[in-house]
């Protein structure tokens, strides 16, 4: 039953998406002074942000594994809803899948790469000056400085939050559309049944006459 009406699949989509939004919100105190504050960002704030990111990247392997499992659950929910899809699934869930994959792309291309860069402590401008070597050559395509790299990470969090909010909006829109459709079908069925009853009563009166 849950698989047929999509409620369990929707649960698998909404819960991981909300979980990721909570994670991003926990980083908002670091992102806000960098991106949205009108006052100049003090250098100490970049130090705090960098230390926090290093702490996150150095977390035990169990933490990223749980994160990746939750990512997979959200993807599984979208695939379940797109199995033998209706028109509503194609519109809302298809768009949700596109946004979800965009979020995964931002996570892999910007956030994971940025965390590795911050943990290494050697940024693009320093690599260009020093020539780099060993593991540092992996990031030789990175030409941004320390502050710019941290700003890119903060902006990536904002982009990811907007993408995830879009997924929730699409799921809520699908729920509302299906609810309105069910109400219309119910009202049409009730009106048609009333019409049949009236026709039956009129036919009975004619027979009596």
């Amino acid at each position: 039953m849950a698989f047929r009406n999509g409620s369990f699949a929707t649960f698998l989509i909404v819960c991981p998406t909300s979980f990721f939004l909570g994670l991003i919100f926990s980083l908002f105190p670091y992102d806000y002074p960098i991106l949205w504050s009108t006052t100049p960002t003090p250098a100490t704030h970049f130090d705090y942000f960098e230390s926090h990111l290093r702490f996150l990247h150095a977390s035990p392997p169990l933490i990223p594994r749980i994160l990746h499992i939750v990512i997979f659950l959200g993807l599984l929910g979208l695939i379940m809803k797109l199995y033998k899809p209706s028109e509503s699934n194609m519109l809302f869930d298809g768009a949700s899948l596109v946004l979800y994959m965009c979020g995964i792309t931002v996570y892999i291309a910007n956030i994971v790469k940025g965390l590795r860069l911050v943990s290494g402590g050697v940024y693009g401008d320093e690599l260009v000056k020093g020539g780099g070597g060993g593991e540092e050559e992996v990031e030789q395509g990175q030409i941004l400085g320390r502050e710019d790299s941290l700003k890119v990470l903060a902006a990536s969090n904002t982009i990811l939050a907007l993408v995830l909010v879009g997924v929730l909006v699409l799921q809520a829109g699908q729920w509302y559309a299906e609810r309105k459709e069910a109400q219309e079908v119910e009202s049409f069925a009730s009106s048609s049944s009333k019409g049949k009853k009236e026709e039956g009563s009129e036919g009975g009166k004619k027979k009596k006459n």
Side-chain angles (χ1 to χ4, degrees), residues 60-131:
L62 179 64
I63 306 301
R65 287 172 187 169
I66 293 175
L67 179 66
H68 296 156
I69 289 172
V70 176
I71 292 174
F72 173 75
L73 288 177
L75 193 60
L76 177 64
L78 287 167
I79 294 173
M80 286 173 62
K81 291 189 74 175
L82 287 171
Y83 177 72
K84 295 182 179 179
S86 62
E87 184 178 356
S88 173
N89 293 127
M90 289 296 293
L91 291 174
F92 291 98
D93 295 322
S96 296
L97 180 60
V98 171
L99 288 178
Y100 200 84
M101 293 306 298
C102 289
I104 293 176
T105 303
V106 171
Y107 168 71
I108 295 174
N110 288 2
I111 296 178
V112 173
K113 183 179 179 181
L115 288 174
R116 290 175 180 172
L117 195 68
V118 170
S119 296
V122 180
Y123 298 91
D125 51 356
E126 298 174 1
L127 287 174
V128 172
K129 293 177 183 177

Side-chain angles (χ1 to χ4, degrees), residues 180-195:
K180 292 296 290 184
E181 182 181 3
Q183 289 178 351
E184 291 177 359
V185 170
E186 185 179 355
S187 62
F188 178 77
S190 61
S191 61
S192 61
S193 62
K194 287 181 181 178

Side-chain angles (χ1 to χ4, degrees), residues 6 27 96 153 205:
L27 294 172
S96 296
L153 271 172
K205 289 179 180 179

Side-chain angles (χ1 to χ4, degrees), residues 114-191:
L115 288 174
R116 290 175 180 172
L117 195 68
V118 170
S119 296
V122 180
Y123 298 91
D125 51 356
E126 298 174 1
L127 287 174
V128 172
K129 293 177 183 177
E135 295 182 357
E136 297 173 0
E137 293 180 356
V138 177
E139 303 294 344
Q140 62 184 356
Q142 173 63 259
I143 59 174
L144 297 177
R146 174 174 175 264
E147 293 187 2
D148 290 334
S149 297
L150 294 176
K151 288 178 181 178
V152 169
L153 271 172
S156 299
N157 292 334
T158 303
I159 294 171
L160 189 56
L162 293 175
V163 168
L164 294 175
V165 168
V167 173
L168 292 181
V169 169
L170 286 170
Q171 293 301 310
Q174 184 183 25
W175 171 81
Y176 180 77
E178 291 178 349
R179 181 170 173 268
K180 292 296 290 184
E181 182 181 3
Q183 289 178 351
E184 291 177 359
V185 170
E186 185 179 355
S187 62
F188 178 77
S190 61
S191 61

Side-chain angles (χ1 to χ4, degrees), residues 2-43:
F3 181 80
R4 187 173 71 246
N5 59 28
S7 60
F8 180 67
T10 303
F11 172 80
L12 288 180
I13 298 169
V14 172
C15 286
T17 304
S18 302
F19 174 75
F20 297 138
L21 282 174
L23 290 178
I24 295 171
F25 183 76
S26 67
L27 294 172
F28 192 64
Y30 297 97
D31 297 340
Y32 179 81
I34 295 176
L35 296 177
W36 311 108
S37 179
T38 55
T39 59
T41 305

